[in-house]
């Protein structure tokens, strides 16, 4: 069987390499303009990457982590999320993240009238809005009667990949080419690629960045470890769904499935992060790469590395 030349951009390691690095900043700018151009007045010419860990108000609150956070020269901030696993209340989480970033501006000395707009962009590998037929939906705040757009600082765009069903010969716009990129890049042939790219150098660069022959051994090990982690998370989710259904049948409660899902999600988040870090360490990946992949504190990863070296057979999460 032929080895796929291009990796999957939905993989967290690949996504952050392409859209979250200074080296490929032009890809991110191009992508944002192509996807958000329908409601963004100002063309984005440059962005500055910001820390992706949104610190809590108090020590006991949970930290919030996003995939990519940046701002343009006008101060507008962009939150970009790649969401592979179905998550209950993801649209609420989107609003929470946007509000958190918006509110943090006031904490660093901005006056209310100087607060800048927040744009949240999510690419989801599952259906978020079952009643919406189109793969892309843009959300803004409008006056209920006049439909005037007076509250201008929040924008939400969701791309639901399962709803995008065009083949490579039907791609017309740059937006469609990006959607095809996320859904099929890891399955594409060289012949089809030439037809898709056309004369667009940036999309060509995005595919080149996915070419595994340009990746280091360390990056490939991290990618494969994350790939296994995604598969494990999917298996865990399916198990919790089955467990929830069983609870519902035994106890006669319809909400059994929801209980199983929510319980598994809450209990598993930190465990999954540590398991991912463990696998990346065992694969020989560097601490900087593991911090980027898991968003765990460096000190925690260093402690885990020491523990693995001292008791390699005792690490079991």
């Amino acid at each position: 069987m032929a080895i796929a030349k291009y990796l999957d951009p939905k993989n967290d390691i690949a996504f952050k390499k392409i859209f979250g690095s200074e080296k490929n900043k032009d890809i991110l700018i191009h992508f944002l303009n192509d996807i958000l151009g329908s409601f963004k007045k100002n063309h984005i010419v440059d962005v500055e990457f910001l820390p992706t860990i949104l610190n809590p108000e108090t020590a006991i609150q949970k930290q919030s982590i996003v995939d990519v956070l940046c701002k343009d020269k006008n101060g507008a901030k962009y939150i970009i999320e790649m969401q592979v696993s179905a998550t209950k209340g993801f649209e609420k989480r989107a609003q929470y993240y946007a509000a958190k970033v918006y509110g943090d501006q006031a904490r660093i000395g901005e006056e209310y009238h100087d607060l800048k707009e927040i744009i949240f962009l999510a690419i989801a590998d599952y259906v978020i809005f079952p009643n919406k037929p189109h793969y892309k939906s843009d959300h803004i705040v409008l006056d209920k009667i006049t439909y005037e757009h007076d509250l201008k600082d929040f924008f939400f765009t969701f791309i639901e990949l399962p709803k995008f069903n065009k083949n490579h010969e039907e791609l017309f716009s740059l937006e469609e080419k990006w959607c095809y990129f996320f859904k099929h890049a890891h399955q594409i042939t060289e012949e089809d690629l030439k037809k898709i790219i056309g004369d667009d150098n940036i999309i060509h660069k995005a595919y080149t960045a996915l070419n595994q022959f340009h990746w280091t051994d360390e990056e490939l090990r991290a990618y494969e470890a994350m790939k296994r982690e995604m598969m494990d998370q999917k298996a865990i989710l399916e198990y919790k769904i089955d467990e929830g259904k069983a609870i519902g049948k035994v106890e006669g409660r319809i909400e059994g499935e929801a209980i199983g899902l929510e319980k598994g999600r809450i209990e598993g988040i930190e465990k999954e992060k540590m398991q991912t870090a463990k696998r990346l360490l065992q694969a020989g990946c560097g601490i900087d790469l593991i911090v980027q992949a898991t968003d765990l504190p460096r000190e925690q990863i260093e402690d885990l590395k020491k523990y693995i070296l001292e008791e390699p057979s005792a690490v079991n999460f």
Side-chain angles (χ1 to χ4, degrees):
M1 188 171 96
I3 299 175
K5 181 176 181 180
Y6 299 100
L7 301 175
D8 188 347
K10 296 187 293 296
N11 181 291
D12 194 57
I13 298 294
F15 184 83
K16 290 179 179 178
K17 179 181 176 70
I18 297 170
F19 297 99
S21 66
E22 283 289 338
K23 177 182 177 181
N24 294 320
K25 187 164 69 172
D26 53 344
I27 297 178
L28 175 64
I29 294 170
H30 194 295
F31 170 67
L32 290 174
N33 282 320
D34 293 339
I35 299 298
L36 304 175
S38 60
F39 66 81
K40 274 289 293 174
K41 293 181 180 179
N42 300 318
H43 190 77
I44 304 168
V45 296
D46 193 17
V47 295
E48 173 190 348
F49 288 106
L50 302 172
T52 57
I53 297 179
L54 311 179
N55 291 321
E57 298 288 339
T58 64
I60 62 172
Q61 289 180 309
K62 181 182 176 182
Q63 288 183 326
S64 303
I65 299 172
V66 298
D67 289 328
V68 177
L69 177 63
C70 63
K71 68 176 180 179
D72 64 23
K73 66 175 185 178
N74 297 315
K77 295 184 178 180
Y78 303 82
I79 303 168
I80 303 99
E81 282 274 280
M82 179 72 244
Q83 189 67 24
V84 175
S85 301
T87 302
K88 182 180 179 180
F90 179 68
E91 67 280 7
K92 290 186 177 293
R93 192 173 89 186
Q95 295 173 84
Y96 172 79
Y97 284 168
K100 187 77 172 63
V101 174
Y102 191 72
D104 282 348
Q105 297 178 82
R107 292 176 58 191
I108 58 175
E110 295 287 348
E111 299 291 341
Y112 287 128
H113 62 270
D114 291 327
L115 298 180
K116 306 300 182 182
E117 62 188 359
I118 306 298
I119 298 92
F120 184 97
L121 170 58
I123 306 99
D125 198 29
Y126 65 96
V127 174
I128 300 174
F129 306 111
N131 296 326
K132 294 182 183 293
H134 195 52
Y135 66 85
K136 178 188 172 189
S137 58
D138 298 315
H139 305 255
I140 58 177
V141 182
L142 298 177
D143 184 295
K144 189 173 181 180
I145 296 176
T146 67
Y147 297 102
E148 292 175 302
H149 187 202
D150 300 311
L151 305 180
K152 302 178 184 294
D153 284 356
F154 289 93
F155 300 85
F156 299 87
T157 291
F158 297 88
I159 293 175
E160 301 168 86
L161 294 178
K163 296 179 182 179
F164 182 80
N165 297 312
K166 289 193 174 185
N167 62 47
H168 70 277
E169 296 179 343
E170 298 173 322
L171 305 179
F172 175 73
S173 66
L174 289 171
E175 177 186 295
E176 292 173 347
K177 289 184 179 182
W178 281 117
C179 292
Y180 191 88
F181 171 82
F182 283 111
K183 192 168 184 178
H184 299 295
H186 56 300
Q187 303 165 332
I188 202 169
T189 65
E190 283 294 315
E191 183 178 352
D192 292 339
L193 183 60
K194 293 177 182 178
K195 298 176 183 177
I196 293 170
I197 292 173
D199 57 358
D200 195 295
N201 293 327
I202 296 297
I203 290 185
H204 181 268
K205 183 177 179 180
Y207 277 95
T208 301
L210 274 183
N211 187 336
Q212 65 172 303
F213 299 111
H214 295 160
W215 285 47
T216 66
D217 289 342
E218 181 187 14
E219 288 174 330
L220 286 172
R221 288 196 299 269
Y223 174 90
E224 289 298 330
M226 184 59 67
K227 182 178 178 180
R228 291 194 298 272
E229 184 65 23
M230 291 166 62
M231 294 171 64
D232 286 348
Q233 289 181 20
K234 183 178 179 181
I236 291 171
L237 179 62
E238 290 174 349
Y239 171 77
K240 291 300 181 182
I241 290 175
D242 291 341
E243 184 182 49
K245 288 179 179 178
I247 292 173
K249 288 179 180 179
V250 171
E251 299 183 3
R253 295 200 304 260
I254 297 176
E255 67 268 22
E257 180 177 347
I259 292 172
L261 278 170
E262 187 64 11
K263 180 181 177 183
R265 186 186 71 82
I266 293 172
E267 294 177 350
I269 288 176
E270 290 303 318
K271 181 178 179 180
E272 289 165 4
K273 286 183 183 179
M274 291 294 290
Q275 185 67 33
T276 299
K278 173 193 169 187
R279 285 181 172 173
L280 293 176
L281 284 169
Q282 291 175 330
C285 298
I287 290 179
D288 288 339
L289 185 62
I290 299 173
V291 170
Q292 182 183 20
T294 64
D295 291 306
L296 287 171
R298 170 179 286 274
E299 295 78 11
Q300 191 171 357
I301 296 173
E302 290 174 344
D303 289 342
L304 177 61
K305 182 177 181 180
K306 293 177 183 177
Y307 186 50
I308 291 175
L309 291 174
E310 293 172 359
E311 302 287 344
S313 63
V315 181
N316 183 24
F317 297 102

